[in-house]
Amino acid sequence: MKFSKVRGLRGEVLVPGDKSISHRSVMFGAISEGNTEIYNYLQGADCLSTISCFRKMGIEIENNGDNVTVHGKGMRGLNRPDCVLDCGNSGTTIRLISGILAAQDFDVTLTGDASIQKRPMGRITEPLSLMGADITSVNGCAPLRIAGKRLHGIHYTSKVASAQVKSAILLAGLYGEGETRVTEPYVSRNHSEIMLKHFGADVRAEGTTAIVQPARELLGNVVRVPGDISSAAFFICAGLMIPNSEILIRNVGINPTRSGILKVCRDMGADIRFLNEYDGDGEPAADVLVKSSSLHGTTISGEMIPALIDEIPVIAAMACFAQGETVIRDAAELKVKESNRLEVMVNSLTAMGADVTETEDGMIIRGGNMLHGAVIDSRLDHRIAMTFAVAGLCAEGETEVLGAECVNISYPNFYGDLERLMR
Ligand code: S3P
């Protein structure tokens, strides 16, 4: 798909439901008693993989294309699937489901696409094994073979701040004997803790430690999924960096463990306002108004990183249009996402004429050079494709994004929504 410079982006956009919250609503609904009604479920390929996995384990799930009803069968109600569970491109699906499946009374094999088969699974197989799980992988990657076992609680100290790791352990902990604790270097997104509580589990946080007690049962509930701030990020950054822009993004989730991008943009001098803030069952949301702004560089590191990990590609592109230097540190996790996002960002921004240097755990971007169009290989990574669609709207000449259709992972109508704003 090809992109060229626009005069501005103006109007309103309603981004689709949050990917992390959508996954969790189906997973937790499936192991709860009774029905779970989910409004604004993300119909991206990743969240459809989660629905498909639970259907294969005997859970009836009605999906009318926006709202989803999960007919939960309780913590012990899953059936042994008669095939391999295919998690597609979705790290959240494979890692969180593993926590549930480690405690069932059947065997199962989980796999996914070529990207998933390269991503590290040792980060979940190690703690789950310490809890008594029988889980094996091929060279630390998918496919994973899990033979359900009786589990016990542990206190696990994770080297990485990862909500997928934390959530897998907490889900296993629901089934284990005794309390389970997970300590992270920095707090990662806390959607599992919020939603598990909403479904009746005893979960709490003490600093960077999440604590769960074993559960006898969870109770199905209503989940209203806010818009995904990781999808809104493309419009936030585009609106700030493209002159003559003003975009109102409605109903965006602004959970503080997710909304680091807003702080970074404000630190860079952005004009961002909240118009209507509300609390949706513990997950705050707001309408976000962004206007073209004169930006300057900043430093992003440490505890900020988990709160904006998926937004770093588009923040890096935006930093090319800011005056001065932007330094991103402590972001080595980007190397093990859907693609090696550090390498892909540095190479692709360089191809467009940016002044960027890769470091061991991040990059340094010296902003202010005009970017020019280039052919960018998305590597079938949805966030890379969307980042370069946006970059292409403010570069000179034409930018072509290869594999552009991969946005269907998290935002099937991204290009349509972007086009409606173009002036
Ligand atoms: C997610 C956690 C993050 C994030 C991913 C979704 C989640 O991954 O990058 O897109 O839903 O828990 P890590 O846990 O690997 O940081």
Coordinates of all heavy atoms in Angstrom, one line a residue, residues 18-21 23-24 46 91-93 95-96 119 123 160-167 184 188-189 191-192 230 258 306 308-311 333-334 336-338 341 382-383, ligand 1:
D18 N -9.9 -2.6 23.0 CA -8.5 -2.9 23.4 C -8.2 -4.4 23.2 O -9.0 -5.3 23.7 CB -8.4 -2.5 24.9 CG -7.0 -2.7 25.4 OD1 -6.6 -3.8 25.8 OD2 -6.3 -1.7 25.5
K19 N -7.1 -4.7 22.7 CA -6.7 -6.1 22.4 C -6.4 -6.9 23.6 O -6.9 -8.0 23.8 CB -5.4 -6.1 21.5 CG -5.0 -7.4 21.0 CD -4.2 -7.3 19.7 CE -2.8 -6.9 19.9 NZ -1.9 -7.9 20.5
S20 N -5.7 -6.3 24.6 CA -5.3 -7.0 25.8 C -6.6 -7.3 26.6 O -6.8 -8.4 27.1 CB -4.4 -6.2 26.7 OG -3.2 -6.0 26.1
I21 N -7.5 -6.3 26.7 CA -8.7 -6.5 27.5 C -9.7 -7.5 26.8 O -10.3 -8.4 27.4 CB -9.4 -5.2 27.8 CG1 -8.4 -4.3 28.6 CG2 -10.7 -5.3 28.5 CD1 -8.9 -2.9 28.9
H23 N -8.9 -10.1 24.8 CA -8.4 -11.5 25.0 C -8.8 -12.0 26.4 O -9.3 -13.1 26.5 CB -6.9 -11.5 25.0 CG -6.2 -11.5 23.7 ND1 -6.3 -12.4 22.8 CD2 -5.3 -10.6 23.2 CE1 -5.6 -12.2 21.7 NE2 -4.9 -11.1 22.0
R24 N -8.6 -11.1 27.4 CA -8.8 -11.6 28.8 C -10.3 -11.8 29.0 O -10.7 -12.7 29.8 CB -8.3 -10.5 29.7 CG -6.7 -10.6 29.8 CD -6.1 -9.3 30.3 NE -4.7 -9.3 30.6 CZ -3.7 -9.2 29.7 NH1 -4.1 -9.1 28.4 NH2 -2.5 -9.3 30.0
D46 N -5.9 -11.6 16.1 CA -5.4 -12.1 17.4 C -6.5 -12.5 18.3 O -6.5 -13.6 18.9 CB -4.5 -11.1 18.1 CG -3.0 -11.1 17.7 OD1 -2.7 -11.9 16.7 OD2 -2.2 -10.5 18.3
G91 N 0.9 -13.6 20.8 CA 1.6 -13.9 22.0 C 0.8 -13.9 23.3 O 0.9 -14.7 24.2
T92 N -0.2 -13.0 23.4 CA -1.1 -13.0 24.5 C -1.9 -14.3 24.6 O -2.0 -14.9 25.7 CB -2.0 -11.8 24.5 OG1 -1.2 -10.6 24.3 CG2 -2.8 -11.6 25.7
T93 N -2.4 -14.8 23.5 CA -3.2 -16.0 23.5 C -2.3 -17.1 24.0 O -2.7 -17.8 24.9 CB -3.7 -16.3 22.1 OG1 -4.4 -15.2 21.6 CG2 -4.6 -17.5 22.1
R95 N 0.6 -17.3 25.6 CA 1.2 -17.3 26.9 C 0.1 -17.3 28.0 O 0.2 -18.0 29.0 CB 2.0 -16.0 27.1 CG 3.3 -16.1 26.1 CD 4.3 -15.1 26.5 NE 5.5 -15.2 25.7 CZ 5.9 -14.3 24.8 NH1 5.2 -13.2 24.7 NH2 7.1 -14.4 24.2
L96 N -1.0 -16.6 27.9 CA -2.0 -16.6 28.9 C -2.7 -18.0 29.0 O -3.0 -18.5 30.1 CB -3.0 -15.5 28.7 CG -2.7 -14.2 29.5 CD1 -1.4 -13.6 29.0 CD2 -3.8 -13.2 29.4
R119 N 9.3 -16.7 19.0 CA 9.2 -15.9 20.2 C 9.5 -16.7 21.5 O 9.1 -17.8 21.6 CB 7.9 -15.1 20.3 CG 7.8 -14.2 19.1 CD 6.5 -13.4 19.1 NE 6.5 -12.5 20.2 CZ 5.4 -11.7 20.5 NH1 4.3 -11.9 19.8 NH2 5.4 -10.9 21.5
R123 N 10.2 -17.8 29.2 CA 9.7 -16.9 30.3 C 8.4 -17.3 30.9 O 8.1 -16.9 32.0 CB 9.6 -15.5 29.7 CG 8.7 -15.5 28.4 CD 8.6 -14.1 27.8 NE 9.9 -13.5 27.4 CZ 10.1 -12.2 27.2 NH1 9.1 -11.4 27.3 NH2 11.3 -11.8 26.8
V160 N 11.8 -9.8 33.4 CA 11.2 -8.9 32.5 C 9.9 -8.3 33.1 O 9.2 -9.1 33.8 CB 10.9 -9.4 31.1 CG1 12.2 -9.6 30.4 CG2 10.2 -10.7 31.2
A161 N 9.6 -7.1 32.8 CA 8.3 -6.6 33.1 C 7.3 -7.0 32.0 O 7.4 -6.3 30.9 CB 8.3 -5.0 33.3
S162 N 6.6 -8.0 32.2 CA 5.8 -8.6 31.1 C 4.4 -9.0 31.6 O 4.3 -9.8 32.5 CB 6.4 -9.8 30.4 OG 5.5 -10.6 29.8
A163 N 3.4 -8.4 31.1 CA 2.0 -8.7 31.6 C 1.6 -10.1 31.1 O 0.8 -10.7 31.8 CB 1.0 -7.7 31.1
Q164 N 2.2 -10.5 30.0 CA 1.9 -11.9 29.6 C 2.4 -12.9 30.5 O 1.8 -13.9 30.9 CB 2.4 -12.1 28.1 CG 1.7 -11.2 27.1 CD 2.2 -11.4 25.7 OE1 3.2 -12.1 25.5 NE2 1.6 -10.7 24.8
V165 N 3.7 -12.7 31.0 CA 4.3 -13.6 31.9 C 3.5 -13.5 33.3 O 3.1 -14.6 33.8 CB 5.8 -13.2 32.2 CG1 6.4 -14.0 33.3 CG2 6.5 -13.5 30.9
K166 N 3.3 -12.3 33.7 CA 2.6 -12.2 35.0 C 1.2 -12.8 35.0 O 0.8 -13.5 35.9 CB 2.4 -10.6 35.3 CG 1.6 -10.3 36.5 CD 1.6 -8.8 36.8 CE 0.9 -8.0 35.7 NZ 0.9 -6.5 36.0
S167 N 0.5 -12.6 33.9 CA -0.9 -13.1 33.8 C -0.9 -14.6 33.7 O -1.8 -15.3 34.3 CB -1.6 -12.5 32.5 OG -1.6 -11.1 32.6
E184 N 7.8 -8.0 39.5 CA 8.4 -7.6 38.3 C 9.3 -6.4 38.5 O 9.2 -5.7 39.5 CB 7.3 -7.1 37.3 CG 6.1 -8.0 37.1 CD 5.2 -7.3 36.1 OE1 4.3 -6.6 36.5 OE2 5.3 -7.6 34.9
S188 N 3.9 -3.9 35.0 CA 3.4 -4.0 33.6 C 1.9 -3.8 33.6 O 1.2 -3.8 34.7 CB 3.7 -5.4 33.0 OG 3.1 -6.4 33.8
R189 N 1.2 -3.8 32.4 CA -0.2 -3.6 32.4 C -1.0 -4.5 33.3 O -0.7 -5.7 33.4 CB -0.7 -3.7 30.9 CG -0.6 -5.0 30.3 CD -0.9 -5.0 28.8 NE 0.2 -4.2 28.1 CZ 0.1 -3.9 26.8 NH1 -0.9 -4.3 26.1 NH2 1.1 -3.3 26.3
H191 N -4.4 -5.3 33.4 CA -5.7 -5.6 33.0 C -6.2 -7.0 33.6 O -7.3 -7.1 34.0 CB -5.8 -5.7 31.5 CG -5.4 -4.5 30.8 ND1 -5.9 -3.3 31.0 CD2 -4.4 -4.3 29.8 CE1 -5.3 -2.4 30.2 NE2 -4.4 -3.0 29.5
S192 N -5.3 -7.9 33.8 CA -5.7 -9.2 34.4 C -6.1 -9.0 35.8 O -7.1 -9.6 36.2 CB -4.5 -10.2 34.3 OG -4.2 -10.6 33.0
S230 N -3.2 1.5 22.2 CA -2.1 1.2 21.3 C -2.5 1.4 19.8 O -1.7 1.7 19.0 CB -1.8 -0.3 21.5 OG -1.3 -0.5 22.8
R258 N -0.9 1.7 31.0 CA -0.9 1.6 29.5 C -0.6 2.9 28.8 O -0.3 2.9 27.6 CB -2.2 1.0 29.0 CG -2.4 -0.4 29.1 CD -1.6 -1.2 28.1 NE -1.9 -1.0 26.7 CZ -3.0 -1.5 26.1 NH1 -3.8 -2.2 26.8 NH2 -3.2 -1.2 24.8
P306 N 7.4 -0.3 30.1 CA 6.2 -1.2 30.0 C 4.9 -0.4 29.7 O 4.0 -1.0 29.1 CB 6.2 -1.9 31.3 CG 7.4 -1.5 32.1 CD 8.1 -0.4 31.4
L308 N 4.4 1.8 27.7 CA 4.2 2.3 26.3 C 5.0 1.3 25.3 O 5.3 1.7 24.2 CB 4.7 3.7 26.1 CG 6.0 4.2 26.7 CD1 7.2 3.5 26.1 CD2 6.2 5.7 26.6
I309 N 5.2 0.1 25.7 CA 6.0 -0.8 25.0 C 5.6 -1.0 23.5 O 6.4 -1.0 22.6 CB 6.2 -2.2 25.7 CG1 7.2 -3.1 25.0 CG2 4.9 -2.9 25.8 CD1 8.6 -2.7 25.2
D310 N 4.3 -1.1 23.3 CA 3.8 -1.3 21.9 C 3.8 0.0 21.1 O 3.6 -0.1 19.9 CB 2.4 -2.0 22.0 CG 2.4 -3.4 22.5 OD1 3.5 -4.0 22.5 OD2 1.4 -3.8 23.0
E311 N 3.9 1.1 21.8 CA 3.8 2.4 21.1 C 5.2 2.9 20.7 O 5.3 3.9 20.0 CB 3.1 3.4 22.0 CG 1.7 3.2 22.2 CD 1.4 1.9 23.1 OE1 1.6 2.0 24.3 OE2 1.0 0.9 22.5
E333 N 13.2 -5.5 25.1 CA 12.0 -6.4 24.9 C 11.5 -6.2 23.4 O 10.8 -7.1 22.9 CB 10.9 -6.0 25.8 CG 10.9 -6.7 27.2 CD 10.8 -8.2 27.0 OE1 9.7 -8.7 26.6 OE2 11.7 -9.0 27.2
L334 N 11.8 -5.0 22.8 CA 11.3 -4.8 21.5 C 11.9 -5.8 20.5 O 11.3 -6.0 19.4 CB 11.6 -3.4 21.0 CG 10.9 -2.2 21.6 CD1 11.4 -0.9 21.0 CD2 9.4 -2.4 21.5
V336 N 11.9 -8.9 20.8 CA 11.2 -10.2 20.8 C 9.7 -10.0 20.7 O 8.9 -10.8 21.2 CB 11.5 -11.1 22.0 CG1 13.0 -11.6 22.0 CG2 11.3 -10.3 23.3
K337 N 9.3 -9.0 20.0 CA 7.9 -8.8 19.6 C 7.5 -9.5 18.3 O 8.3 -10.3 17.9 CB 7.6 -7.3 19.6 CG 7.7 -6.6 21.0 CD 6.7 -7.1 21.9 CE 6.9 -6.4 23.3 NZ 6.0 -7.1 24.3
E338 N 6.5 -9.1 17.7 CA 6.0 -9.7 16.4 C 7.2 -9.7 15.4 O 7.2 -10.6 14.5 CB 4.8 -9.1 15.9 CG 3.5 -9.4 16.7 CD 3.3 -8.6 17.9 OE1 4.2 -8.1 18.5 OE2 2.1 -8.4 18.2
R341 N 11.6 -5.2 16.6 CA 11.1 -3.9 16.3 C 12.2 -2.8 16.5 O 12.1 -1.8 15.9 CB 9.9 -3.5 17.2 CG 8.7 -4.2 16.8 CD 7.5 -3.9 17.7 NE 6.3 -4.6 17.2 CZ 5.2 -4.8 17.9 NH1 5.1 -4.3 19.1 NH2 4.1 -5.4 17.4
H382 N 2.0 -5.8 12.5 CA 0.9 -4.9 12.4 C 1.4 -3.5 12.8 O 1.0 -2.5 12.2 CB -0.3 -5.3 13.1 CG -0.1 -5.7 14.6 ND1 -0.9 -5.3 15.6 CD2 0.9 -6.5 15.2 CE1 -0.5 -5.8 16.7 NE2 0.6 -6.5 16.5
R383 N 2.1 -3.4 13.9 CA 2.5 -2.0 14.4 C 3.5 -1.3 13.6 O 3.6 -0.1 13.5 CB 2.9 -2.1 15.9 CG 1.8 -2.7 16.8 CD 1.8 -2.3 18.2 NE 0.9 -3.2 19.0 CZ -0.4 -3.1 19.1 NH1 -1.0 -2.1 18.5 NH2 -1.1 -3.9 19.8
Ligands
S3P1 C1 0.3 -7.8 26.3 C2 1.5 -7.5 27.0 C3 2.7 -7.0 26.3 C4 2.3 -6.3 24.9 C5 1.4 -7.2 24.1 C6 0.1 -7.5 24.9 C7 -0.8 -8.3 27.1 O1 3.6 -8.0 26.0 O2 3.5 -6.0 24.2 O3 1.1 -6.6 22.9 O4 -1.9 -8.3 26.6 O5 -0.6 -8.8 28.2 P1 4.7 -8.5 27.1 O6 4.0 -9.2 28.2 O7 5.6 -9.5 26.3 O8 5.4 -7.3 27.5

